[in-house]
Amino acid sequence: MADAATTVAELKDVVRRFVDERAWQRFHAPKNLAMGLAVETSELMEHFLWIDGPASWEVIKQPGKRESIADELADVFCYLLNLSMALDIDLSDALNAKMIKNALKYPADQYRGKFTV
Amino acid sequence: MADAATTVAELKDVVRRFVDERAWQRFHAPKNLAMGLAVETSELMEHFLWIDGPASWEVIKQPGKRESIADELADVFCYLLNLSMALDIDLSDALNAKMIKNALKYPADQYRGKFTV
Amino acid sequence: MADAATTVAELKDVVRRFVDERAWQRFHAPKNLAMGLAVETSELMEHFLWIDGPASWEVIKQPGKRESIADELADVFCYLLNLSMALDIDLSDALNAKMIKNALKYPADQYRGKFTV
Amino acid sequence: MADAATTVAELKDVVRRFVDERAWQRFHAPKNLAMGLAVETSELMEHFLWIDGPASWEVIKQPGKRESIADELADVFCYLLNLSMALDIDLSDALNAKMIKNALKYPADQYRGKFTV
């Protein structure tokens, strides 16, 4: 599977099947999934804790790091997909709608290279 | 755009274009994006803070809640896509690889309905 | 040391000495300490991830759990003390000032037993 | 109140009184307090999101920032005190016990100026 040819729905299916086979849906209250998402995000963040921003581009080049960071990204994504399924939210639609709001909030010509006008 | 017909690459493009138009890449050190992901995740979590797990299924039915929660999911997804682009990680591939590891770690017949054997 | 007889300044001293002896101050940029605080908070949260709120009172009674949860609380407190030292903020004063604001924001007679009026 | 002369127990009393007056204990399941702690920690972290570590020392010098950051530290501390009360954990004792473990794990002479040996 690769991003270029995989729909979000196909990834939801992969995750849904895994959960179904273990009958884990009953643990998947939105509150729990939101907490789990936060826990996984922190594990991802930990890889970049003691280094400065500019150096954080290099972390992934250390031996073994690419795989462990990819695993953490996958864990975050997995919870996000589970949560969107529990709440019956279409992620592509939600992302698109939010980016349109963001574009209105941050007009490109005013915010080029900065966060405040 | 809908999950059924949208690839992850297409969503990456939507986000990349937004960032490009504002020349915000220079703020996007992986350390910052991981922090931003954690901040957005907490904002999502806040919607479920003072209610119990079982009741958390109902939150989204309150007026206005579906849109605000979808917006938070989108913010989390947006950071996840940005981080995967900054690190040049294919999310579909990462998710698939991680789910295979998870399946080996949690055999379905031993973990049905529980987290510990 | 016990809460009844230990000042916050004495706890700051314990932590400061530990950091001094290892010359770790140079890693302690406020950005890093805030991230570390979030990482430790997530590790604490993980103990309560898959159980419901009411049952979360009982977690600490499981064998070994009291010590590991106390350790996580200590880690959070340690980062909070380090961050307050890096920023030269008096925690007792900050807490007191915030509780006064909270009391004005949430008048006791209007908010008894609820979060919204 | 100042750190030099205020015990942790006195701060617990300030927080306990506030909660008692509003009868909010019933919302204070450890699971919820741990989540709230994470939410407040993220709000604190947000102040340092888009700046580099070295520059994060200067954030607090901007107008108004000292008070808002002190407020966020207070919110984090407030949840930590509430959680320690809900779990009946002595924070001073927990911190001291953890620092002793840390000292054994990171001998000062081997870890001076670095995190790995």
Side-chain angles (χ1 to χ4, degrees):
Chain A
M1 296 183 120
D3 288 345
T6 311
T7 64
V8 178
E10 287 170 314
L11 296 175
K12 280 181 165 177
D13 283 344
V14 170
V15 171
R16 184 188 294 113
R17 207 155 42 229
F18 180 89
V19 174
D20 277 355
E21 285 167 2
R22 284 152 193 83
W24 280 359
Q25 295 93 333
R26 66 186 182 98
F27 302 115
H28 282 195
K31 179 168 180 138
N32 290 357
L33 293 174
M35 266 182 113
L37 183 65
V39 167
E40 295 300 340
T41 299
S42 267
E43 292 183 8
L44 175 58
M45 192 162 60
E46 203 172 356
H47 287 277
F48 306 105
L49 179 50
W50 295 116
I51 42 158
D52 274 337
S56 73
W57 295 98
E58 308 302 318
V59 172
I60 203 160
K61 297 178 185 166
Q62 294 164 24
K65 273 286 187 182
R66 174 163 286 276
E67 188 180 343
S68 19
I69 290 175
D71 275 359
E72 299 292 359
L73 278 175
D75 285 337
V76 172
F77 200 15
C78 182
Y79 273 96
L80 182 65
L81 291 164
N82 269 316
L83 187 50
S84 72
M85 288 189 284
L87 298 169
D88 191 25
I89 285 176
D90 187 290
L91 278 177
S92 305
D93 176 54
L95 183 74
N96 213 45
K98 189 59 188 346
M99 294 313 281
I100 290 170
K101 290 186 202 179
N102 286 348
L104 291 170
K105 188 173 171 190
Y106 304 103
D109 55 340
Q110 291 174 44
Y111 282 86
R112 194 170 314 280
K114 53 188 178 176
F115 287 147
T116 48
V117 288
Chain B
M1 297 183 120
D3 288 345
T6 311
T7 64
V8 178
E10 287 170 314
L11 296 174
K12 280 181 165 177
D13 283 343
V14 169
V15 171
R16 185 189 291 115
R17 208 153 42 227
F18 180 89
V19 174
D20 277 354
E21 285 168 2
R22 284 152 194 82
W24 281 0
Q25 296 91 333
R26 67 187 181 96
F27 302 116
H28 282 194
K31 177 167 181 141
N32 290 357
L33 293 175
M35 264 183 115
L37 183 65
V39 168
E40 296 301 339
T41 299
S42 267
E43 292 183 8
L44 175 59
M45 193 163 60
E46 204 173 355
H47 287 277
F48 307 104
L49 178 50
W50 296 115
I51 41 159
D52 274 336
S56 74
W57 293 98
E58 307 302 318
V59 172
I60 205 161
K61 297 178 186 166
Q62 296 164 24
K65 273 287 188 182
R66 174 163 287 276
E67 188 180 343
S68 20
I69 291 175
D71 275 358
E72 299 294 357
L73 279 175
D75 285 337
V76 171
F77 200 15
C78 182
Y79 273 96
L80 181 65
L81 291 164
N82 268 316
L83 187 49
S84 71
M85 288 188 286
L87 298 170
D88 192 24
I89 285 176
D90 188 289
L91 279 178
S92 304
D93 177 54
L95 183 74
N96 212 45
K98 190 61 190 342
M99 294 314 281
I100 291 169
K101 290 186 201 178
N102 285 348
L104 291 170
K105 189 173 170 191
Y106 304 104
D109 55 339
Q110 291 174 43
Y111 282 86
R112 194 169 313 279
K114 54 187 179 176
F115 285 148
T116 47
V117 290
Chain C
M1 299 185 117
D3 288 345
T6 310
T7 64
V8 177
E10 288 170 314
L11 296 175
K12 281 181 165 177
D13 283 344
V14 169
V15 171
R16 186 189 292 114
R17 208 154 42 230
F18 181 88
V19 174
D20 277 354
E21 285 168 2
R22 283 153 194 82
W24 281 359
Q25 295 92 332
R26 68 188 182 95
F27 301 116
H28 282 194
K31 178 167 180 140
N32 290 357
L33 293 175
M35 266 183 114
L37 183 65
V39 168
E40 296 300 339
T41 298
S42 267
E43 292 182 8
L44 175 58
M45 193 161 61
E46 204 172 356
H47 288 277
F48 307 104
L49 179 50
W50 295 116
I51 42 160
D52 274 337
S56 73
W57 294 98
E58 308 302 317
V59 171
I60 203 160
K61 296 179 185 166
Q62 295 164 22
K65 272 287 187 184
R66 174 163 286 276
E67 187 179 344
S68 21
I69 291 175
D71 275 358
E72 299 294 359
L73 278 176
D75 285 337
V76 172
F77 200 14
C78 182
Y79 272 96
L80 181 65
L81 291 164
N82 269 317
L83 187 50
S84 71
M85 289 189 285
L87 298 169
D88 192 24
I89 285 176
D90 188 290
L91 279 178
S92 304
D93 178 54
L95 182 74
N96 213 45
K98 189 60 188 345
M99 295 313 282
I100 290 169
K101 289 185 202 179
N102 285 347
L104 291 170
K105 189 173 170 190
Y106 304 104
D109 55 338
Q110 291 175 44
Y111 283 86
R112 194 169 314 280
K114 53 187 178 177
F115 286 147
T116 47
V117 289
Chain D
M1 298 184 117
D3 288 346
T6 310
T7 64
V8 178
E10 287 170 313
L11 296 174
K12 280 181 165 177
D13 283 343
V14 169
V15 172
R16 185 190 291 114
R17 208 155 40 229
F18 180 90
V19 174
D20 277 354
E21 285 168 3
R22 283 153 193 81
W24 281 0
Q25 295 90 333
R26 67 188 181 95
F27 302 116
H28 282 194
K31 177 166 180 140
N32 290 358
L33 293 174
M35 265 183 114
L37 183 65
V39 168
E40 296 300 339
T41 299
S42 266
E43 292 183 7
L44 175 59
M45 193 163 60
E46 204 173 355
H47 287 277
F48 307 105
L49 179 49
W50 295 116
I51 42 161
D52 273 337
S56 73
W57 294 98
E58 308 302 318
V59 172
I60 203 160
K61 297 177 186 167
Q62 295 164 23
K65 272 289 187 181
R66 175 163 285 275
E67 187 179 343
S68 20
I69 291 175
D71 275 0
E72 299 294 358
L73 279 175
D75 284 338
V76 172
F77 200 14
C78 182
Y79 273 96
L80 181 64
L81 291 164
N82 268 318
L83 187 50
S84 71
M85 289 189 285
L87 298 169
D88 192 24
I89 284 176
D90 188 288
L91 279 178
S92 305
D93 177 54
L95 183 73
N96 213 44
K98 189 61 189 340
M99 294 313 283
I100 290 169
K101 289 186 201 178
N102 285 348
L104 291 170
K105 189 172 171 190
Y106 304 103
D109 55 339
Q110 291 176 42
Y111 282 85
R112 194 170 313 281
K114 54 187 178 177
F115 286 147
T116 46
V117 289

